[in-house]
Every structure is written in C-alpha cells, then in structure tokens.
Amino acid sequence: MSIFVDENTKVIVQGITGGQGRFHGLRNRDYGTKIVGGVTPGKGGTDVDGIPVFNSVKEAVAATGATASFVSVPPKFAAAAILEAAEGGITFIVCITEGIPAHDEAITYNRLVEEYPGVRLLGPNCPGIISPGKCNIGITSGDIALPGGPVGIVSRSGTLTYQALHELSQQGIGQTTCVGIGGDPVPGTNFIDCLAAFEADPETKAVMMIGEIGGSEEERAAEWIKANMTKPVVSYIAGVTAPPGKKMGHAGAIISGSKGTAQAKMDALREAGVFVCANPTEAGQKMVEIVRAM
Amino acid sequence: MDLFEYQGKQYFSRYGIAVSPGDVADTVEEAVAVAERIGYPVVVKAQVKVGGRGKAGGVKLADNIDEVRLHAGNILGLDIKGHIVRRIWIERSSDISKEYYASFTLDRPNKTHLGMLSAQGGVEIEVVAEENPDAIAFLSIDPVRGLDIETSRRWVAEANLDEVAREQAAQILVKLYECYTQGDCDLAEINPLILTPDNKVHALDAKVTLDENASYRHPEWEEYRATETEDPREKMAKEKGLNYIGLDGDVGIIANGAGLAMSTLDVVNQVGGSAANFLDIGGGANADVMASALEVINADPKVKVIFVNIFGGITRVDDVANGVLEALKRVKIDSPIVLRLDGTNAVEGRSILAPHLSNKLIMEPTMLDAARSAVAFTK
C-alpha cells in the first residue's frame, strides 16, 4: 500500500499553463498519475496537451471528481491557491512553491486546520509525493523510484529525497511511498504525520527519514518514534558542517544559538533507536542491509 | 535579513512604536550636528550587527559637543568582533526606571506566533529563560486571529509589568505585533523596553529580522539591502540571484537544493576536505544560473577545485550541462571542475558534456566518488 495517494487518486494541477506547472504536470501524467484537469483563472475551456483547463478549483472538481491538487503557482499567489483548493473540495494539496512569506504560511496552515480539518497540505517548498508505479505528484523524477516497497521515505529536502530514492533503487530496494515535506518553517505535513502513516501501512516495513538543521521537528519525531514506532528507521541529517546563524538555503534551515544543530538531532534520533548515518550513501547501504535481513 | 538598530527603530516608527529621538551619522561632523539638534545628553551607539557593543566601547554617553566629538571619533572605525563600525546612531539619552523585554517570533513546533514578555529586560533573554523562566510570560497567538488590545492588557498584567507602565506597554505590544506581521518580520524584539521616571514607556533598542521571501511586497526594504555589509563573494552572488554563503575552505561547491548543498559540505568534510562555500542554485536553475554560479566560485581566490553536485528534479541536468559549457566559454575557469550529475534528464546532460571531459573537467558516478576526487585536488 501507499500513504496519502494511490493509483486511483485524481489530481488537478493549479497553474498548469505556467512553465513549471505544464512541465511537471505532463511528466506526472506520463508517469501514470491520473492528472484529470488543470486550473488557471481566465483560461477555462482550453487544454494543455489534452488536459482540460478550468477557471477555478470548484469547477475542476465538479467536472473531474479530483481529490488532490498539485499547486505550482508563484509565491505571491500560492497561499490563495491552497485555500481555493481546500474551499473547492480538494482533500490533499501538494504545494511545491518556494519563497512563500512565513506569515502567509502560518495563516494558511492555521486556516486549513480551523476551517478545513479534513484537508492535508504537503509543503510548501517541497518536491511532492511519489508512490512508485502508482502516483507521482510534484517534481520528483519518476525513473529514480522503484515500485513494490518495502521502504517508506520522508524527507525535508527535495534533492536529498531524490538521492535517497536513487540509493535504494540502484540496490533493487523499492519504496512504498516517498514524501518530501519541504524545508519551510511551517510545513503542512510533518515527520510525525508521515511516520504514523508508514507505521500503519502494512506494506511499509522500514522507514528512511532525512532531516536537516533548523527547528525541532526531528527531535519531536524522535520522541514519537521512541513511543510508537515498531518498524526500523534509518536517518540522515544534513548540515553537520553548517555554521550557526546562516540560513542554509531553506527558510527553515538555520541554527540559532545552540538550537537546531544536526548533532542534537542525531543524538535524539539515536537515543530513540534510529540508525543514524553520516551521509546519504551510508544511509542507503544501512537500509539495504536491514531490508535484505528481513 | 537582519536590520541595524537604527533601521529597526525606523521600522518601529512606521508602526507607531515610540523610540528615543535620534538620527544616524557617518562622520564626526554629522554626529555633532545630530547631537546639537536633538539636545544633550546623548548616547552615541555603534551600528553593528553583533552583540556586545557596550563592552567593546561601542556605546558612550555624551554631555556636550566635545564629548560627542571624542566618542564619535573613537567609535567610527572601531572593530567590534570583526565588524568595523561605519555608521553611528545618536539619540537623546533616557533616564530609566525599569527595563522590560518584549518580542514576537514564529513558534515553529506549534505553528503559531509566540510573544515573549518579561519585567526583567535589559539582559539577554536566553539568560532569563535559563535562570528564571517564570519571569517570562509566553503568549501563543493564532496567526488568523492576531493580537487584540484586551489580550495584550491581560498579558502585561500576567508579566507583572509595573502598574503605571501597563496600558502603554499593552498598546506598544499590539503595535509591535502589527510591525511583526504586516512588516513581515521573522523576529521583532525590544530589549529593553523602558519605563522612564516620568512614567513613559518606549523602545530603547530594536532587533528586527525581515523575512526576505516577503520582499516583493516591501519596496521600502531596498534601503536596508543597500547597507548590508557582506562578504564580497556573497555580494557578487546575490547580484546574480544566487543563494551563496561564504566559508573558509578550498573546495568550491555548487549544488541544487539546500539539502543536497548542505549534504555536499558534509560529505566533502567527511573525506578530509573543506568547503569554500555553500551554493544552492535552486530549483529550475537554467544554463545562465549555472554559468553565473561557476563565475562566482571562480572569483574566490581560495578555491582550488569546484565540485558540481546536481540531482535533477525541477532542475534539468541538460540545462546544467549547457551552463557548464556556457561558463567555460564566457570566463576562464582556473580550477578543475568535478561533476556528479543525476536525476531529471541526466542521460542527456552527461552526453552533452562527454566530448568535453578532460583532466580539468571530470565526471564521477556518485556523490562520494566526486567528493573524493575533488578533495584530492586540494592536497
């Protein structure tokens, strides 16, 4: 099984007529994802390579029965697009947009929780989600993922998500689902959400968790793992050599004072029984070992 | 982006938060003119983005024109922990009865805003939090609802601010919250917020960090950007729209994605090398961005080798490959380049570069191999 999406998930692309929305939306469709429509205000009635375009999410949902949306719009419009998706009846929103102001994210997150409690937001500033062979929403290159499980992947970083997929696929180890939660300060979906879903998914036998400096999500995940997780977890944390006080690319990746260091995160995870590795390759090898021994 | 104290105070003023009357000066003569205008006694304060100015001699009281001249002369050009003072802030000296602390920041675990208020200001809040955590009144604020005056009044009472200060402080906190939210701050901090002997409350210091993702709706931030004293390498990178942080090693790093870039620094370190920089060319980088990245790294004299680590997602590896060729045409790259290319359109990208490979343009199959190969050039 997969988490959050599967082969039947119907997806619309908000911003499908933009360069990135078009490129990745079509790639997702080529992968086999049920991309059933697109939304661009003012362009309703047209199509993008056969995918019908609607003026609003509401129209798109009514016409297609979509339950998921891939939001690929500029930062200025992203918060409104996410809320429009929730308002329009979408229950799983993947937002890849990078550069949304933190205050917009905080308001959007809390409005979703308060007004649309059944809606899950993945991202913003994330690579999306892929259930190999079933569904790919976002910017992950489908050919680096391998269907069939048994590993679930959750990661704060986009490119390190690809790296993790690549390390496993090359060794013939498949994935159930790979979730990129994104590197922003207010992610819609966090490590614990994904760990809990993987723990509950019978086909996922082990989980790879990739974190990075900043915030305390990894420490919280460690506590959760210690209390609830029965499946093995392998982890890699990026940013051991990152200097304090500098935002390492992601808005959320900053060591402030003694908080948010890679070392503290690795210690917390190790203490929770997680296999903590020094680099993505080592993490891949450790996971291969664990899966082969099953 | 961190603001200087004077910029923070000017930013506070936009939102109606009372600060001491003052102005900036870049020369002794300007300092004298400001002091003569606002009246004595004045405080002459070094404008540097680093703590501990007072101890370093960067904050002085002046009772007359001669003292202003003396202190301004001493402070301008002073080196405070590696930060050279180029600008000073002159403000009317305030008599202080009480010092409080107030700030707003994002509470990441709870995804709300966090207000911190304390009757024990004027010292580092981390120290208060450590030694006397009960002295801080924390307030969790729902970003959708915001902070109203009633809540603010209850909060100042809870924090045990002096009775005479409470109503003014409550008003200031609402304004500070407005500054924090509408002003798109990551942090808005007043330390100290003072009560004067004539029972007035105002901000004596200002610490403001702006969220650069919001710069598109704040044209007024342009002037703050102009005064950013940064590493010349970082300045050049910023002009080219690159996400660059200068470091001290000799392996130049170009990667796509913050996580992979961080991981690249870690891996270089693990195989015995040291990175000269962090550089994330970001999602969707095209040939031109790649070429600019190589130019920026090439301009760093410490760099002995350039490690290009790309895992294409939104970034297409063929674009990256074209960027490398473009850069090689545009500028003379002195250092050898070691590449590792995977992901979206990797096959196309590798074949674009294949005819150009040499002992100065090297392709490696994995991230670890590439790190080892790059670090070997520095030994």
Side-chain angles (χ1 to χ4, degrees):
Chain A
M1 260 168 66
S2 47
I3 65 167
F4 306 145
V5 293
D6 61 27
E7 60 274 31
N8 300 315
T9 306
K10 288 184 183 171
V11 185
I12 55 166
V13 180
Q14 288 173 261
I16 195 164
T17 55
Q20 290 200 353
R22 183 192 166 90
F23 179 78
H24 295 287
L26 292 178
R27 268 175 102 220
N28 288 171
R29 185 183 65 175
D30 290 346
Y31 187 75
T33 311
K34 290 199 166 69
I35 303 286
V36 295
V39 176
T40 300
K43 295 202 175 157
T46 62
D47 76 278
V48 169
D49 201 36
I51 300 170
V53 178
F54 301 88
N55 284 318
S56 70
V57 172
K58 200 163 264 173
E59 282 174 31
V61 168
T64 64
T67 56
S69 178
F70 173 9
V71 177
S72 175
V73 303
K76 237 188 231 192
F77 310 111
I82 291 167
L83 290 168
E84 191 202 331
E87 166 75 34
I90 294 291
T91 53
F92 185 64
I93 305 166
V94 177
C95 180
I96 64 161
T97 306
E98 178 175 5
I100 302 175
H103 286 279
D104 291 5
E105 287 187 8
I107 287 178
T108 306
Y109 177 88
N110 283 283
R111 280 197 60 189
L112 286 179
V113 169
E114 288 160 29
E115 297 168 40
Y116 310 98
V119 173
R120 171 173 299 289
L121 168 66
L122 179 61
N125 191 13
C126 78
I129 181 167
I130 177 167
S131 273
K134 296 175 180 171
C135 180
N136 185 7
I137 308 175
I139 61 181
T140 307
S141 189
D143 55 8
I144 55 172
L146 188 67
V151 178
I153 301 176
V154 56
S155 167
R156 257 172 83 185
S157 147
T159 36
L160 286 178
T161 312
Y162 315 149
Q163 183 72 40
L165 282 166
H166 184 70
E167 301 279 357
L168 295 178
S169 297
Q170 281 202 321
Q171 304 284 325
I173 304 292
Q175 307 89 31
T176 51
T177 302
C178 172
V179 193
I181 58 175
D184 274 5
V186 193
T189 293
N190 62 24
F191 280 125
I192 296 173
D193 297 325
C194 299
L195 291 167
F198 282 133
E199 175 69 15
D201 171 32
E203 281 176 22
T204 300
K205 306 292 184 202
V207 178
M208 171 99 84
M209 174 181 152
I210 298 169
E212 63 188 29
I213 55 161
S216 54
E217 287 295 313
E218 289 81 359
E219 287 87 336
R220 283 153 52 90
E223 276 175 39
W224 192 91
I225 289 168
K226 200 172 177 182
N228 303 288
M229 197 90 187
T230 61
K231 299 174 182 179
V233 180
V234 174
S235 184
Y236 164 65
I237 306 293
V240 179
T241 48
K246 302 269 190 185
K247 261 182 201 171
M248 299 307 265
H250 284 162
I254 183 166
I255 297 170
S256 27
S258 58
K259 286 189 191 138
T261 64
Q263 197 56 50
K265 292 169 190 297
M266 293 194 291
D267 291 347
L269 288 164
R270 240 181 234 121
E271 215 260 314
V274 172
F275 300 96
V276 179
C277 299
N279 58 58
T281 308
E282 219 177 83
Q285 283 161 354
K286 183 74 204 169
M287 185 55 94
V288 169
E289 232 175 78
I290 288 170
V291 172
R292 295 225 169 111
M294 277 174 177
Chain B
M1 174 168 49
D2 294 330
L3 297 189
F4 287 109
E5 173 199 3
Y6 76 91
Q7 293 169 331
K9 285 181 171 169
Q10 288 165 351
Y11 208 56
F12 282 175
S13 295
R14 284 173 172 267
Y15 292 90
I17 299 163
V19 296
S20 306
D23 210 342
V24 288
D26 294 344
T27 64
V28 173
E29 285 322 305
E30 280 175 25
V32 167
V34 173
E36 293 283 307
R37 195 170 72 237
I38 60 176
Y40 298 96
V42 296
V43 186
V44 182
K45 302 174 91 173
Q47 296 301 293
V48 283
K49 292 175 185 176
V50 63
R53 306 179 282 186
K55 276 185 198 150
V59 180
K60 294 281 182 194
L61 189 67
D63 281 321
N64 54 53
I65 190 165
D66 293 331
E67 288 182 12
V68 169
R69 213 168 250 134
L70 173 72
H71 295 317
N74 286 340
I75 293 173
L76 282 164
L78 191 68
D79 182 333
I80 302 179
K81 297 180 186 169
H83 296 244
I84 306 294
V85 182
R86 308 259 177 238
R87 181 164 278 187
I88 49 180
W89 169 255
I90 319 293
E91 71 177 19
R92 176 78 70 79
S93 167
S94 300
D95 291 326
I96 301 171
S97 302
K98 281 289 173 59
E99 294 182 290
Y100 310 129
Y101 172 94
S103 73
F104 292 102
T105 184
L106 181 68
D107 181 354
R108 285 172 61 171
N110 292 316
K111 300 178 168 79
T112 54
H113 296 308
L114 179 68
M116 289 203 275
L117 180 62
S118 176
Q120 297 182 14
V123 291
E124 276 188 51
I125 196 67
E126 289 82 1
V127 176
V128 180
E130 187 77 21
E131 290 170 2
N132 193 5
D134 291 343
I136 304 172
F138 295 94
L139 182 70
S140 175
I141 303 162
D142 179 340
V144 180
R145 285 183 188 80
L147 175 66
D148 59 39
I149 186 68
E150 291 308 321
T151 308
S152 187
R153 285 185 182 126
R154 283 197 298 275
W155 188 26
V156 294
E158 191 200 330
N160 263 321
L161 265 51
D162 300 79
E163 288 281 356
V164 289
R166 285 185 189 177
E167 182 55 26
Q168 289 177 74
Q171 302 278 354
I172 287 175
L173 287 167
V174 169
K175 288 173 185 163
L176 184 64
Y177 183 77
E178 260 168 40
C179 172
Y180 166 70
T181 51
Q182 288 165 30
D184 280 300
C185 304
D186 283 339
L187 169 72
E189 180 187 79
I190 306 177
N191 189 22
L193 176 70
I194 61 160
L195 174 67
T196 59
D198 57 347
N199 294 336
K200 294 271 170 35
V201 179
H202 78 263
L204 200 61
D205 199 357
K207 194 170 173 196
V208 173
T209 306
L210 302 174
D211 173 11
E212 294 202 55
N213 281 351
S215 58
Y216 69 83
R217 57 189 175 206
H218 294 283
E220 76 275 15
W221 292 0
E222 211 42 60
E223 58 172 307
Y224 305 143
R225 203 159 289 122
T227 57
E228 275 203 286
T229 46
E230 55 196 348
D231 183 317
R233 297 175 298 174
E234 290 182 9
K235 202 166 179 182
M236 178 178 175
K238 199 167 266 183
E239 279 160 11
K240 292 180 183 289
L242 297 168
N243 191 346
Y244 176 100
I245 295 166
L247 301 168
D248 298 326
D250 51 16
V251 181
I253 305 284
I254 299 173
N256 67 314
L260 188 65
M262 267 188 273
S263 187
T264 309
L265 308 189
D266 294 347
V267 169
V268 163
N269 188 261
Q270 280 162 19
V271 299
S274 175
N277 65 279
F278 167 98
L279 199 168
D280 167 17
I281 56 171
N286 55 24
D288 194 46
V289 172
M290 188 64 211
S292 300
L294 278 168
E295 280 175 359
V296 168
I297 306 264
N298 191 53
D300 182 347
K302 286 205 308 281
V303 167
K304 291 183 184 154
V305 60
I306 303 173
F307 177 7
V308 179
N309 190 9
I310 303 295
F311 207 115
I314 207 161
T315 303
R316 304 179 213 176
V317 175
D318 49 339
D319 283 343
V320 170
N322 283 321
V324 172
L325 294 184
E326 175 71 31
L328 291 173
K329 264 184 258 162
R330 231 156 65 181
V331 282
K332 188 183 167 295
I333 306 283
D334 310 311
S335 314
I337 301 173
V338 179
L339 302 128
R340 175 277 179 140
L341 306 172
D342 269 312
T344 307
N345 296 358
V347 175
E348 292 87 337
R350 290 195 204 110
S351 57
I352 289 169
L353 288 175
H356 304 272
L357 296 179
S358 67
N359 61 356
K360 288 201 79 180
L361 187 67
I362 297 143
M363 185 102 67
E364 294 287 356
T366 72
M367 181 164 159
L368 269 177
D369 289 331
R372 288 195 188 101
S373 164
V375 170
F377 279 105
T378 66
K379 302 293 175 192

